Amino acid sequence: MARDSKPTTRRSVLKKGGIAVGVGMGLAGCSGNGGGGGGGGEDTDSGGTDSGATTTTESSAEEVEITFATTQPPENVSVQAAQEHFIDVIETETDGRITVNLEAATLGGTEDNLDALEAGTVDILHESPTALSQRFASEYSFAGDPFVIEDMEHYRAVNEEFLKPEDGLNGILLENGIRLGDAFYVGNRCFTSNTPVTSPEDVQGLKLRLPQYETWTSVWDEIGADVTPVAYDELYSALQTGVVDASEGPISQFLAVSLYEVQSHFSVTNHLLDTKHFLYNEEFYQGLSDDDVELITSTAADAVQGMTEDIKSREEELYAQAEEEGTTVVPAEDVDRAAFVEAGQPALEELSESNWAVNINDVQDLA
């Protein structure tokens, strides 16, 4: 959970042999890339004395190079927020002793980045619970399924109760050399169509394009939509030609793919909270000093708060941008989300009995 104040710099660990040591492997030796719009990784320790040290005036902590990856490009708001609230803070707090090489959309897709994290060529990665459940533990897909999580506060409670404990998702990840960290808000998936959508009655029989996730399909089928699989790169043309009537996704996707040209309404159903976690390569994590573990994880815990605020603020700007493009944005207060949850509940209960590691009622009780 987030801490109330920024961590203080730890500078009392002796620098081993006076030589800088990169903790990560492979790419971790390539600091100073500067990708992601912000000079991360440019400064290195010059070997000078640290006036804040109490044990000696001639020693400093070990230098550390971190390779930090994300599938998003440098201009993405989540990458910019990570630069400001995590990377810049770490480098500033340590006077450049810890440097961060940001790999933003340079290592391939989700699977490529997870491969790199497992292999140790990436030390820290941002990725979603959906990606983690798809690859490592399908029984934890509930953390990224429709109409399960209400808001970010609810997600944090679910994370603490079911995901971060070592008898939860984190334990399975640790078996694969990955440690689960704190989560930040990425967005909310909502409904696009040519009519307003405020209740389950409004989606009956609508041909809805969904990604091919079985759990997502079962919930929307239960609610009454006619789920139709369409590849993402064919989404625009499918909506344009009537192959599908509607789609779902975050407002950023709606604008990025210019769906406002083929869909008149964006209804803020907030049916699926998008989050991403800080993930750590376990060998990298165990190779850190206790002081650096505390510094990095507490900075990440603080960072997720600032990142969430930045992304939510940007989301409001995107809603305004969609309206400028002629879109009718149906606000969340006009959507009967509880009715959608009730309509999808039989599917959610079936999933919790047949697929999930926890009972849906236990998850909902944390809201």
Side-chain angles (χ1 to χ4, degrees), residues 103-287:
E103 297 287 349
T106 60
L107 304 180
T110 294
E111 290 300 312
D112 299 307
N113 279 263
L114 287 170
D115 285 342
L117 184 66
E118 280 194 86
T121 53
V122 162
D123 303 311
I124 301 176
L125 176 67
H126 281 167
E127 198 44 81
S128 69
T130 297
L132 295 174
S133 67
Q134 287 285 314
R135 178 165 175 137
F136 299 109
S138 61
E139 64 268 33
Y140 286 90
S141 72
F142 64 86
D145 283 339
F147 296 112
V148 174
I149 307 296
E150 286 193 12
D151 52 28
M152 199 63 206
E153 183 178 358
H154 185 200
Y155 188 82
R156 291 190 187 102
V158 169
N159 187 34
E160 291 298 320
E161 183 72 19
F162 300 119
L163 307 184
K164 285 185 74 173
E166 292 196 8
D167 62 353
L169 175 61
N170 193 30
I172 296 171
L173 295 179
L174 285 168
E175 293 174 0
N176 291 276
I178 296 170
R179 179 175 291 267
L180 187 71
D182 291 289
F184 60 95
Y185 178 87
V186 175
N188 257 303
R189 298 185 76 90
C190 300
F191 208 94
T192 87
S193 59
N194 288 316
T195 55
V197 170
T198 62
S199 70
E201 288 72 24
D202 297 326
V203 304
Q204 300 307 302
L206 275 184
K207 290 179 290 184
L208 171 64
R209 182 269 172 184
L210 282 179
Q212 294 188 38
Y213 297 142
E214 182 179 349
T215 52
W216 295 18
T217 296
S218 64
V219 175
W220 280 107
D221 274 342
E222 183 71 40
I223 291 170
D226 179 7
V227 175
T228 304
V230 172
Y232 179 70
D233 58 3
E234 298 173 2
L235 174 57
Y236 182 99
S237 61
L239 289 166
Q240 185 179 43
T241 59
V243 171
V244 291
D245 305 313
S247 72
E248 58 79 62
I251 186 64
S252 56
Q253 173 180 294
F254 183 78
L255 290 167
V257 191
S258 302
L259 294 187
Y260 51 81
E261 295 177 352
V262 291
Q263 298 270 265
S264 61
H265 288 67
F266 186 92
S267 300
V268 186
T269 52
N270 288 345
H271 58 264
L272 199 160
L273 184 80
D274 270 340
T275 62
K276 288 193 175 181
H277 285 260
F278 276 80
L279 302 170
Y280 305 94
N281 172 273
E282 182 65 5
E283 186 175 350
F284 157 76
Y285 186 92
Q286 294 297 335

